[in-house]
Amino acid sequence: MSKKLSIITVNYNNQMGLEQTINSVLSQNSPNDFEFIIIDGGSTDGSKELIETHADRVTYWVSEPDNGIYNAMNKAIRVAKGDYVYFLNSGDLLYDQTTIQKIEPYLDQTCGIYYGNLIYQEKDIQVPWIFPEQLSFSFFLTENINHQACFIRRSLFDELFFYNEEYKIVSDWEFLIYAICKRNIPYKHIDMLIAIYDTTGISSNANNREAMNQDKNKTLQKYFPLFVQDYRNIDAIKLKRVQQFLFIKKFKPAWLALKGFMNIVLLFLPKFKKENA
């Protein structure tokens, strides 16, 4: 008989973070409700030896070179026997010792995806992050549901696709936007804190933002080509100057004065033509 949940931890040379994550998982009040899988990328910092000390309580583990985080995650999905998979990578923690016990009743196969809320562990503070009840295409254009908050039915990966190993950061985003916005996979928000997310990971590094946006654009062109222009328009709307215009519009006298000034400026410019988006 399969477990309801497979908790998966991916690690590479983060022994300290891995130890914290292992302790968090193994301290759960309902160890019989899940299997625990650890995929290590051939670490040389003692991570393998650490896993070996807990081998009797880990359902499956391997320590070998891989081709990146999504290759490691796909390895785990292929061996997972739980109805749902959940990724809690090294350095991340379950919110408390009752988290799995509380989440387990929701995993009834009614929905393909369940997601809760997170604590973002910044340098010196913890910031709660509450995800919306309703998800939309516009939400995914600018945001994502972190995999530390997400429980995905294992069979969905066979039905749709496994994580794109060509991407370094956004393959979990690609999976969710495709599943929810393209395939209309049923989902549900669970209003409870699931995990404390270690923000020192690769996806949280601002230096990776350009590569992230390039990969996102590839996904949009592949699955949502007709919405790419809308994506650009939404980005434009987020600009500070546009936000200022929208703020001024709330105040009629100020808005009329601004419109009058703009009309005067337009007299000295080539004729304005409205773009058809």
Side-chain angles (χ1 to χ4, degrees), residues 16 21 67 102 105 113 142 157 162 164 175 248-249:
M16 183 180 297
T21 303
N67 294 319
K102 289 176 182 175
I113 298 166
T142 56
F157 292 95
F162 280 61
N164 185 345
F175 183 90
I248 292 172
K249 194 174 181 179

Side-chain angles (χ1 to χ4, degrees), residues 52-228:
E52 289 175 333
T53 65
H54 297 283
D56 60 326
R57 300 184 66 190
V58 176
T59 311
Y60 175 93
W61 71 274
V62 66
S63 181
E64 62 186 15
D66 56 45
N67 294 319
I69 187 170
Y70 292 115
N71 177 243
M73 291 167 77
N74 284 338
K75 282 184 186 179
I77 295 167
R78 289 188 174 96
V79 300
K81 294 181 172 58
D83 297 326
Y84 287 81
V85 297
Y86 171 68
F87 291 96
L88 188 77
N89 292 340
S90 57
D92 300 326
L93 307 173
L94 290 162
Y95 181 65
D96 62 29
Q97 293 181 341
T98 66
T99 300
I100 299 305
Q101 187 177 47
K102 289 176 182 175
I103 204 71
E104 188 267 348
Y106 290 97
L107 307 180
D108 59 3
Q109 306 248 31
T110 303
C111 294
I113 298 166
Y114 293 92
Y115 62 98
N117 305 317
L118 290 178
I119 295 287
Y120 279 18
Q121 180 64 61
E122 305 287 354
K123 243 184 180 181
D124 301 313
I125 59 170
Q126 292 186 338
V127 181
W129 193 262
I130 310 302
F131 292 106
E133 293 282 333
Q134 296 294 320
L135 301 177
S136 64
F137 185 71
S138 60
F139 168 82
F140 281 109
L141 287 180
T142 56
E143 304 289 344
N144 191 24
I145 305 293
N146 301 73
H147 55 245
Q148 294 88 345
C150 234
F151 301 84
I152 303 173
R153 192 168 64 226
R154 164 63 183 83
S155 61
L156 273 184
F157 292 95
D158 294 321
E159 180 185 338
L160 304 180
F161 49 74
F162 280 61
Y163 288 126
N164 185 345
E165 296 181 16
E166 294 181 4
Y167 293 168
K168 292 184 177 180
I169 303 173
V170 301
S171 292
D172 50 329
W173 169 86
E174 178 184 63
F175 183 90
L176 289 177
I177 192 173
Y178 178 84
I180 291 171
C181 299
K182 187 82 169 182
R183 296 293 296 272
N184 295 314
I185 298 299
Y187 65 86
K188 183 175 182 177
H189 178 240
I190 301 167
D191 191 16
M192 62 176 280
L193 289 167
I194 305 297
I196 300 173
Y197 168 44
D198 178 12
T199 61
T200 61
I202 184 173
S203 62
S204 302
N205 190 330
N207 295 329
N208 296 316
R209 193 163 301 279
E210 184 177 349
M212 189 188 314
N213 289 335
Q214 288 176 357
D215 288 344
K216 279 189 171 185
N217 283 328
K218 290 177 185 176
T219 293
L220 293 172
Q221 291 285 358
K222 184 177 181 180
Y223 296 117
F224 306 97
L226 297 180
F227 297 112
V228 171

